[in-house]
Amino acid sequence: MHSFVIGPDAFDVVMVSGKDAERFLQGQLTCDVAGLADRHWTHGACCNNKGRVIAAFVLMRHRGDYYLCMTRGLAPLLI
């Protein structure tokens, strides 16, 4: 079995916070943001109005803030 390590410089992380963060993200992403428990992860994507994926990511919820971890270079497109 082989193992490997991917350095943190290979990823972008976008944090979304605020009282309406969950409601905003629920309407924008493909995953169930409202059903995500604290300190849990889920896969998701953000799509354009034609349904084409802009960015795929792993979403984590922590203390009411949301962290979207994605391949380096995708954060500016998502933001």
Side-chain angles (χ1 to χ4, degrees), residues 1-78:
M1 176 181 225
H2 298 284
S3 58
F4 61 94
V5 176
I6 299 173
D9 60 332
F11 299 99
D12 283 342
V13 177
V14 174
M15 183 181 90
V16 180
S17 63
K19 66 179 185 122
D20 292 329
E22 180 181 305
R23 189 168 53 103
F24 171 73
L25 291 175
Q26 186 69 36
Q28 299 295 317
L29 308 178
T30 61
C31 51
D32 182 12
V33 177
L36 186 61
D38 196 49
R39 296 187 327 223
H40 283 80
W41 296 84
T42 189
H43 295 276
C46 181
C47 301
N48 67 14
N49 58 354
K50 293 186 178 183
R52 294 189 176 118
V53 174
I54 297 169
F57 51 80
V58 176
L59 174 69
M60 183 187 123
R61 179 177 176 220
H62 183 66
R63 297 183 180 170
D65 297 330
Y66 295 89
Y67 298 87
L68 294 87
C69 181
M70 64 202 74
T71 303
R72 167 87 55 213
L74 291 179
L77 296 172
L78 184 66

